[in-house]
Amino acid sequence: MTLHAPRWKLFPKYAALIIALVATLLVASGAVGLYFSYRENVQHLVALQFEKAQAAAVRIENYVHDIEQQLGWTTFPALDADADPLEQRRIDFLKLLRQAQAITEVAWIDAQGREQLFVSRLAMEAQGRARDFAGTPLFTAALAGGTFYSPVSFRKETEPYMTIARRAGAGGGVTAVDVNLKFVWEVVSRIQVGQGGLAYVVDDKGALIAHPDISLVLKKTELSALPQVAAVLSGRAAPGADNGPPLVEAARDLSGRRVLAAHARIPALNWTVFVESPRA
């Protein structure tokens, strides 16, 4: 019995070593599994946010295109040779205001860049006041055959507006409309992702256009310093895993909290819709 005693003394040590190795392997395996599960959940959430951002971008783009289509038929009015062309254009503008509630003002600018007709649901009509638009981006871009989209502005510091202008066919010149963008705010306000998730829209400079907290928009908040916005503006937002939606690991919100952020572009307007949610 004395000769076998050392072996029995070593057994607990070997057993403890084996148990420690197995436990270490199990912990490591569990940690790896948790890591990949976490990454999968992150990618799933970002993909969901990306879908919501895409849906919002499409709705906003369609909204603006609908306005353009409404504007299209007024740029080529059926001018009667026996009637006053300016009066016919005025009647068409009044019809446009009735059909497109988002449009608040319409103006016709002649080929020399002088405003000849102004119709509004918020102000008095005017004819021949000849405000000079010659040389402005609105006039030159539209007269060249393109569609002009102005930067977003705020009327009475409460509601966002944008001017859209197109070349007028009959009679020449340019037709311009002021559009209420409250619809864009309504779109982003309805997007929810879990607890604390939200959506917002920025322009090509990173200026906030729409946000659930309208006060941030009215303050003309700049978001170009946020990592996710800076990455998009600079073109550094690379595709995610398996060509999925881009993921900016350093994304943060205005409070400095780490967030998961996805985005979708609106090429026609050069805007970007972001959807984000706290990593916590």
Side-chain angles (χ1 to χ4, degrees):
M1 294 296 293
T2 305
L3 295 175
H4 297 287
R7 296 181 182 180
W8 287 107
K9 290 181 180 180
L10 292 175
F11 178 77
K13 295 180 180 180
Y14 283 119
L17 179 61
I18 292 171
I19 292 172
L21 288 173
V22 171
T24 301
L25 291 173
L26 289 174
V27 170
S29 176
V32 171
L34 285 174
Y35 173 77
F36 282 108
S37 176
Y38 166 76
R39 295 298 300 177
E40 183 178 354
N41 286 333
V42 166
Q43 291 171 7
H44 174 74
L45 182 56
V46 171
L48 175 63
Q49 294 180 184
F50 180 61
E51 290 178 6
K52 290 181 177 289
Q54 280 188 312
V58 168
R59 289 190 64 190
I60 294 170
E61 189 170 34
N62 288 342
Y63 172 76
V64 174
H65 284 169
D66 287 344
I67 297 295
E68 288 183 47
Q69 290 177 357
Q70 294 281 356
L71 174 60
W73 63 266
T74 65
T75 61
F76 293 93
L79 299 179
D80 189 341
D82 298 328
D84 179 3
L86 198 62
E87 179 61 19
Q88 283 187 293
R89 200 179 292 275
R90 173 181 170 275
I91 293 172
D92 283 339
F93 285 178
L94 290 173
K95 291 179 181 177
L96 177 64
L97 291 180
R98 284 198 298 267
Q99 293 178 8
Q101 294 299 314
I103 296 177
T104 57
E105 296 177 350
V106 194
W108 176 58
I109 304 164
D110 67 18
Q112 286 69 49
R114 301 284 181 173
E115 181 191 273
Q116 299 299 334
L117 178 62
F118 173 80
V119 179
S120 171
R121 66 173 82 248
L122 303 175
M124 296 291 292
E125 294 183 16
Q127 293 186 17
R129 59 183 181 179
R131 287 197 302 168
D132 188 7
F133 288 88
T136 64
L138 179 153
F139 182 72
T140 56
L143 197 65
T147 300
F148 170 81
Y149 304 101
S150 77
V152 176
S153 60
F154 293 89
R155 183 161 297 176
K156 297 181 180 179
E157 300 300 321
T158 56
E159 293 185 340
Y161 278 80
M162 177 178 69
T163 301
I164 301 176
R166 291 180 58 178
R167 183 170 61 186
V174 167
T175 301
V177 297
D178 276 6
V179 181
N180 191 321
L181 296 177
K182 186 166 58 176
F183 171 83
V184 179
W185 177 79
E186 292 173 352
V187 169
V188 299
S189 296
R190 292 172 182 169
I191 295 177
Q192 294 183 344
V193 183
Q195 294 183 356
L198 54 83
Y200 53 90
V201 184
V202 301
D203 66 11
D204 59 337
K205 301 294 191 300
L208 191 62
I209 295 172
H211 190 282
D213 184 354
I214 190 64
S215 67
L216 293 176
V217 182
L218 297 177
K219 292 176 184 175
K220 300 179 181 178
T221 305
E222 286 282 341
L223 300 183
S224 55
L226 294 182
Q228 63 273 26
V229 177
V232 170
L233 296 181
S234 64
R236 292 183 287 104
D242 300 324
N243 293 321
L247 173 62
V248 179
E249 292 287 354
R252 294 185 180 275
D253 64 11
L254 282 171
S255 301
R257 297 177 303 175
R258 297 184 66 206
V259 296
L260 297 172
H263 71 273
R265 299 278 292 159
I266 307 177
L269 302 174
N270 213 8
W271 296 353
T272 305
V273 180
F274 284 89
V275 177
E276 65 183 36
S277 59
R279 281 182 177 264

